[in-house]
Amino acid sequence: MTAESAERAQQHYDPRDVQEKWQQRWAGMDLFRASDDPADQRPRTYLLDMFPYPSGDLHMGHAEAYAIADAIARYYFHRGDNVLHPIGWDAFGLPAENAAIRNNTHPADWTYANIETQAASFRRYAVSFDWSRRLQTCDPEYYRWNQWLFLRFYERGLAYRKDGYVNWCPVDQTVLANEQVIAGRCERCGSEVVRRMLTQWYFKITEYADRLLADMEPLADKWPDPVLLMQRNWIGRSQGAEIRFPVEGLQEPVTVFTTRPDTLFGATFFVVAADSPLAAEICAPERQAALEEYLTGVRKLTDIERQAADRPKTGVFLGRHAINPGTGEPIPVWASDYVLPDYGTGAIMAVPAHDQRDLDFARAHDLPVRVVVETGEPDPAETGVATPGDGELINSGPLDGLGKAEAIARITGILAADGNGRAAVSYRLRDWLVSRQRFWGTPIPIVYCDACGEMPVPEEQLPVVLPDLRGQDLAPRGVSPLAAATDWVNTECPKCGGHALRDTDTMDTFVDSSWYFLRYCSPHYTGGPFDEAAVRRWAPVDLYVGGVEHAILHLLYSRFFVKVLHDMGTLDFTEPFTRLLNQGQVVNQGRAMSKSLGNGVDLGEQLAVYGVDAIRLTMIFASPPEDDVDWADVNPDAQVKFLGRVWRVSADVGSAAAAGAAEAGAPDGGAAGAGSAAVAGGEGAGHGDVALRRVTHRTIEEVTRLVEVARLNVAVARMMELVSATRKAIDSGPGPADPAVREAAETLVVLLSLFAPYTAEECWELLGHEPSVAQAVWPVADPELLVQERVTCVVQVAGKVRDRLEVPPGISEAELRELALAAPGAVRALAGREPQRVIVRPPRLVNIVPA
RNA sequence: GCGGGCGUGGCGGAAUUGGCAUACGCGGCAGGUUUAGGUCCUGCUGGUGGCAACACCGUGGGGGUUCGAGUCCCCCCGCCCGCACCA
């Protein structure tokens, strides 16, 4: 250790000390602005973090997500790409409204105040955003395009209104989309959802079900498997058949959907959804009272009760029979709540022998069970266990003797020929209910004219701006607060000029987030939601980073929007996000942080204690990006220490250069002043200690690879190894003035700048460079330095390591075999036995199998 | 119930995708520097036996494929996630 570094070792580097200085210096530098210049030939990269909801200040979860995305964004900046890395706020939503009621203010007050807080925190957190593209979805300049898009959907028949049972949250006093009901509870407040009949707006996402499914194919390696699987399951494509059953008293047959048309001959009764119009229609007059009574009981149930797994199957006989088109037999028609009104056709053929639900119902109501597939399992009528498996068809007329697949094909053909049915596909996916009875959202741009009826608001009248409501005006009362704003609600019909009323609902906020990534391409564009040329330039998003909680909702809706916009001819691609990265959560003691558990960790406090760089590094180093980070298991002090080691290396190299310059009266060769200095490599001889150079260049190679595949925790580990090697070279090797040591330090600092921008910038300056290190060129590994001189070859005997050899990497098989057989450890382990077989895998391994 | 994922030291995690298990870090133990503590620098640190060289065991458990398995296949156990009467 030199005297100087011994002295420096006494200094303790505190990463917090340099934050203020660099934050100010960077403020004037505009380092991360994306260029829209068409002449700009750099490769373009669009990197996006899921935009935050402004619920308060940034929290630990944001700190992890943005540390990950920022590291990757900074990497592309260093590579010389024209990078689009924007930020905005998902600013509409219920919490703002609740805060406004509580504080007797306008939701905008709370929203914009929180946005400013978060914006300041993002700057302190040193995220490489292009701030010129900032957007907020609650700005009229933004939400007018929600309305514009709604009208385009409307024109195309993709936005429509219908009556239906909807999920109603009694606490938030609003309708919820299917996707927002989690296990029968409101996604937001957790209260039990009830069913309610309302007239609401829907987006016809089901029309895109097949494409949403098919277009996942090319995403296979680019999106996490669980997300693709969840989407696939959510869409829930089922292949089967529609079969028409004539029903007593009805002119038209009633169609059912089934995935098992082969079991038609076993259909011994028929069930319709009790709360569908069909039930009332079929019901015989003398049974109407019974049906009413049953329905009253059913409607009292919450979804939680309805979905209880082991709930007995209830129902009511409707006094009518249907004709099984297979057997020609009359079968009784029942109504039950186990048949869903909004899946398939709301009616089923019940095959109790081969469907557990139908069997449960049959046993509860004493209905016949007829086995039509011989599966080899015991009789369902006796065991109470249905046999859904494959087998030989029996009791099935023309299907007898066939297997399941053949029987399905045969019966589908017969039904089609007779006009009694056809092959069909059904989806679990329902249309997207977009109406919300809340204030802080985008008004639906529809008016209802006394004379003309439902009328879209003309484009030139957009945006339909929210009225100025605040405080108690916003209190939930079962209808939208907008209904109380009479001046706003009463309007003119755009067609006849007569009296009309505005739609008083607002749009689901997921509409806002379904296209914001397109808006970033031209955030100030006034001719439409986005400038098509700008979108062609940037979109689709190359890498999208966000939590897995959006695996279905947001991502499915965005995919849908992009397909619709594609069909409208405004986009030339059909998928919004080329690659998706789901980062894990930050938890504490194994559990999600929450107020009720009292295990919350405050990001601001963590930053105050350890500084931005150490927290960012802690997030990155703790685990792979997609895994959770348990804050109870990490120690940011370790990262403070690591940052100090990098700083001391940089300081040692920097002051050695200064001393050398003073002595020689000339600047040190490596200390190029420009911010864009090329770091590694260079020409000619005399680059210093080769061993260290090998470490440096191997580190460049590995870190580059690791960042590209987002294995950021390992990338940091490799950098730590380079620090140790450089430290050793300074203390007990060629010393701080060696060019290889400078090369190592400069490399290290550029790599580090992805994760710890403040410390990296400070070190860059210590090394004699102008800011900003963010503009330094990413180092390139010299292939010659990646080739090792000697590699360790493992010599195994019977699969166990018995010796090691240092060999040249190009060693021949024969030569290595010879060396291995002579290796002392191998000779000892063989103990005189003859090798029966020798597996040689040069240059890494030899396995000797003794006789 | 259906679908999927994951189990590696005291802890977080690594392992070029079938080839040295435990990189890197935390924690622990020791040494150096220091008036001392902290800082800083260095070394050791899976288990058992042994003074040691070394041997045996070892990636949730059991079996299999292979010259060779943390990695592939089958069964079981445990934890986590998604869906949940979708016909």
Side-chain angles (χ1 to χ4, degrees):
Chain A
M1 190 183 285
T2 67
E4 186 148 16
S5 65
E7 190 180 314
R8 182 160 298 109
Q10 302 305 311
Q11 298 176 42
H12 181 71
Y13 172 71
D14 186 334
R16 295 174 298 182
D17 293 345
V18 302
Q19 286 179 203
E20 189 61 28
K21 164 184 166 188
W22 290 113
Q23 213 178 313
Q24 280 179 21
R25 300 269 294 272
W26 291 336
M29 296 180 71
D30 198 18
L31 292 166
F32 306 111
R33 189 186 290 256
S35 165
D36 271 312
D37 180 356
D40 194 322
Q41 291 300 303
R42 294 175 295 167
R44 277 183 284 262
T45 298
Y46 186 0
L47 210 133
L48 186 63
D49 317 76
M50 288 184 185
F51 64 169
Y53 179 77
S55 55
D57 201 350
L58 300 180
H59 52 66
M60 297 298 283
H62 293 123
E64 188 193 6
Y66 290 94
I68 292 165
D70 191 49
I72 297 171
R74 285 174 177 270
Y75 167 72
Y76 286 106
F77 278 111
H78 283 294
R79 295 298 298 249
D81 284 15
N82 186 8
V83 179
L84 175 57
H85 186 206
I87 184 67
W89 278 270
D90 186 16
F92 271 140
L94 213 41
E97 219 166 315
N98 294 335
I101 295 164
R102 213 163 46 237
N103 307 327
N104 198 30
T105 55
H106 194 281
D109 299 343
W110 181 88
T111 303
Y112 285 103
N114 286 340
I115 288 173
E116 288 313 317
T117 301
Q118 292 194 350
S121 295
F122 273 133
R123 287 182 191 277
R124 182 174 59 236
Y125 206 57
V127 189
S128 60
F129 291 134
D130 178 347
W131 285 97
S132 72
R133 290 170 189 261
R134 166 177 173 172
L135 62 79
Q136 286 107 197
T137 59
C138 63
D139 291 342
E141 304 81 65
Y142 186 88
Y143 71 72
R144 73 174 291 179
W145 302 114
N146 284 341
Q147 295 170 339
W148 186 91
L149 288 161
F150 184 99
L151 295 175
R152 297 293 85 75
F153 278 43
Y154 183 77
E155 287 163 7
R156 302 178 72 83
L158 293 171
Y160 68 97
R161 220 156 64 111
K162 74 170 179 193
D163 297 339
Y165 284 99
V166 297
N167 305 304
W168 177 264
C169 172
V171 171
D172 289 341
Q173 297 267 306
T174 186
V175 152
L176 301 170
N178 263 11
E179 288 82 349
Q180 288 163 324
V181 181
I182 309 298
R185 291 176 180 276
C186 171
E187 170 195 53
R188 295 207 156 280
C189 69
S191 46
E192 290 188 14
V193 167
V194 297
R195 295 175 79 72
R196 213 171 139 166
M197 173 72 82
L198 281 174
T199 309
Q200 301 278 286
W201 285 97
Y202 291 81
F203 283 163
K204 210 181 252 175
I205 191 170
T206 52
E207 198 167 301
Y208 283 76
D210 254 333
R211 284 167 63 188
L212 288 166
L213 211 48
D215 290 353
M216 275 191 273
E217 205 62 44
L219 301 176
D221 297 329
K222 311 272 190 152
W223 280 35
D225 286 339
V227 174
L228 293 171
L229 189 74
M230 281 160 71
Q231 293 223 351
R232 202 163 279 131
N233 291 342
W234 189 262
I235 295 166
R237 186 180 198 271
S238 296
Q239 192 128 23
E242 286 179 356
I243 306 178
R244 288 147 63 89
F245 283 69
V247 174
E248 204 184 333
L250 294 191
Q251 292 293 316
E252 282 296 309
V254 175
T255 302
V256 303
F257 174 77
T258 177
T259 53
R260 294 293 304 276
D262 55 312
T263 62
L264 174 63
F265 288 75
T268 53
F269 59 101
F270 192 94
V271 190
V272 297
D275 50 358
S276 68
L278 192 59
E281 206 182 319
I282 293 174
C283 190
E286 70 275 12
R287 298 296 295 159
Q288 288 288 350
L291 176 61
E292 264 320 307
E293 192 191 342
Y294 178 67
L295 274 175
T296 311
V298 167
R299 285 191 187 132
K300 271 200 290 220
L301 300 175
T302 62
D303 271 18
I304 299 251
E305 291 162 326
R306 253 182 94 108
Q307 290 167 1
D310 48 358
R311 201 169 133 247
K313 292 276 180 297
T314 60
V316 56
F317 176 52
L318 294 181
R320 299 291 195 195
H321 287 77
I323 304 298
N324 181 327
T327 62
E329 289 169 353
I331 56 176
V333 179
W334 288 66
S336 172
D337 64 353
Y338 90 88
V339 173
L340 307 175
D342 53 356
Y343 179 77
T345 63
I348 62 158
M349 64 175 205
V351 184
H354 308 296
D355 182 285
Q356 190 61 47
R357 297 154 299 182
D358 295 346
L359 183 59
D360 292 344
F361 191 86
R363 286 161 68 91
H365 300 98
D366 239 348
L367 293 158
V369 177
R370 182 189 297 153
V371 173
V372 293
V373 182
E374 188 46 74
T375 61
E377 282 154 80
D379 183 7
E382 312 210 327
T383 59
V385 179
T387 56
D390 202 348
E392 186 182 319
L393 274 283
I394 54 171
N395 301 325
S396 294
L399 308 183
D400 282 351
L402 300 178
K404 178 172 155 184
E406 301 85 21
I408 289 174
R410 174 78 63 86
I411 190 67
T412 307
I414 294 171
L415 291 167
D418 298 348
N420 288 330
R422 60 189 177 91
V425 168
S426 189
Y427 297 93
R428 214 194 75 107
L429 183 70
R430 313 294 206 273
D431 275 340
W432 174 11
L433 168 50
V434 294
S435 301
R436 294 291 181 279
Q437 289 68 51
R438 300 302 310 206
F439 170 77
W440 194 229
T442 305
I444 290 174
I446 297 286
V447 301
Y448 304 95
C449 170
D450 301 345
C452 312
E454 177 182 298
M455 295 295 301
V457 174
E459 203 178 315
E460 60 276 12
Q461 289 179 26
L462 300 183
V464 177
V465 179
L466 286 166
D468 186 11
L469 299 184
R470 52 188 61 228
Q472 279 306 306
D473 297 342
L474 305 172
R477 44 178 74 84
V479 293
S480 168
L482 289 173
T486 47
D487 287 354
W488 183 86
V489 171
N490 288 287
T491 186
E492 271 180 15
C493 172
K495 190 176 175 194
C496 70
H499 177 250
L501 295 171
R502 290 193 187 280
D503 194 301
T504 57
D505 287 347
T506 52
M507 294 181 209
D508 183 1
T509 56
F510 277 104
V511 173
D512 314 355
S513 53
S514 293
W515 65 280
Y516 78 108
F517 46 90
L518 302 172
R519 184 72 184 165
Y520 280 137
C521 299
S522 52
H524 312 295
Y525 188 63
T526 54
F530 47 83
D531 174 15
E532 289 179 32
V535 166
R536 259 196 304 280
R537 199 148 49 231
W538 293 110
V541 174
D542 293 293
L543 175 64
Y544 196 28
V545 179
V548 74
E549 65 273 16
H550 292 115
I552 304 173
L553 296 156
H554 163 56
L555 292 172
L556 192 67
Y557 294 151
S558 299
R559 297 182 60 223
F560 165 57
F561 259 57
V562 163
K563 288 176 204 310
V564 174
L565 288 162
H566 171 84
D567 292 354
M568 284 166 54
T570 61
L571 298 180
D572 58 358
F573 53 91
T574 56
E575 283 291 330
F577 313 118
T578 305
R579 192 174 146 211
L580 178 68
L581 174 64
N582 283 139
Q583 91 282 351
Q585 288 182 32
V586 185
V587 301
N588 194 9
Q589 287 150 344
R591 311 184 66 173
M593 294 186 193
S594 78
K595 271 195 188 122
S596 57
L597 285 171
N599 67 344
V601 177
D602 184 77
L603 175 60
E605 286 171 19
Q606 297 294 310
L607 295 175
V609 173
Y610 301 104
V612 168
D613 284 348
I615 295 302
R616 287 175 56 132
L617 270 173
T618 300
M619 292 289 181
I620 296 290
F621 186 65
S623 69
E626 39 283 303
D627 288 4
D628 288 353
V629 174
D630 194 328
W631 206 248
D633 292 336
V634 303
N635 182 3
D637 274 321
Q639 304 308 326
V640 173
K641 185 172 152 189
F642 168 58
L643 291 166
R645 281 167 67 87
V646 179
W647 180 83
R648 277 185 295 277
V649 163
S650 303
D652 289 347
V653 173
S655 51
E663 213 164 285
D668 182 273
S676 60
V679 167
E683 68 298 318
H687 290 297
D689 186 72
V690 175
L692 180 61
R693 295 203 71 206
R694 287 187 199 281
V695 177
T696 301
H697 285 254
R698 202 171 57 235
T699 304
I700 294 168
E701 175 76 6
E702 288 214 37
V703 169
T704 302
R705 198 193 88 242
L706 290 163
V707 170
E708 283 181 356
V709 296
R711 304 189 51 89
L712 304 179
N713 56 327
V714 188
V716 172
R718 295 292 167 265
M719 289 164 46
M720 289 172 167
E721 290 175 284
L722 180 55
V723 176
S724 293
T726 312
R727 182 75 257 160
K728 279 202 185 94
I730 292 171
D731 290 344
S732 52
D738 187 272
V741 172
R742 165 164 285 273
E743 181 187 55
E746 294 186 334
T747 297
L748 193 52
V749 166
V750 176
L751 303 186
L752 182 71
S753 77
L754 305 189
F755 308 102
Y758 289 109
T759 299
E761 194 74 275
E762 182 71 15
C763 292
W764 193 239
E765 188 180 59
L766 286 172
L767 290 166
H769 297 294
E770 292 292 320
S772 169
V773 67
Q775 292 170 311
V777 171
W778 190 253
V780 176
D782 180 346
E784 282 181 29
L785 289 164
L786 296 176
V787 185
Q788 284 172 289
E789 285 179 300
R790 315 288 287 177
V791 294
T792 304
C793 176
V794 174
V795 183
Q796 297 180 338
V797 175
K800 285 185 177 167
V801 180
R802 298 299 181 179
D803 212 334
R804 291 183 172 80
L805 303 168
E806 293 299 314
V807 299
I811 191 166
S812 74
E813 198 173 317
E815 211 178 333
L816 185 57
R817 181 193 164 99
E818 191 117 339
L819 282 173
L821 286 169
V827 171
R828 184 169 356 105
L830 276 169
R833 289 173 297 176
E834 279 303 304
Q836 187 199 49
R837 195 176 160 189
V838 183
I839 290 107
V840 186
R841 294 278 178 279
R844 295 266 184 227
L845 180 128
V846 178
N847 188 11
I848 303 164
V849 187

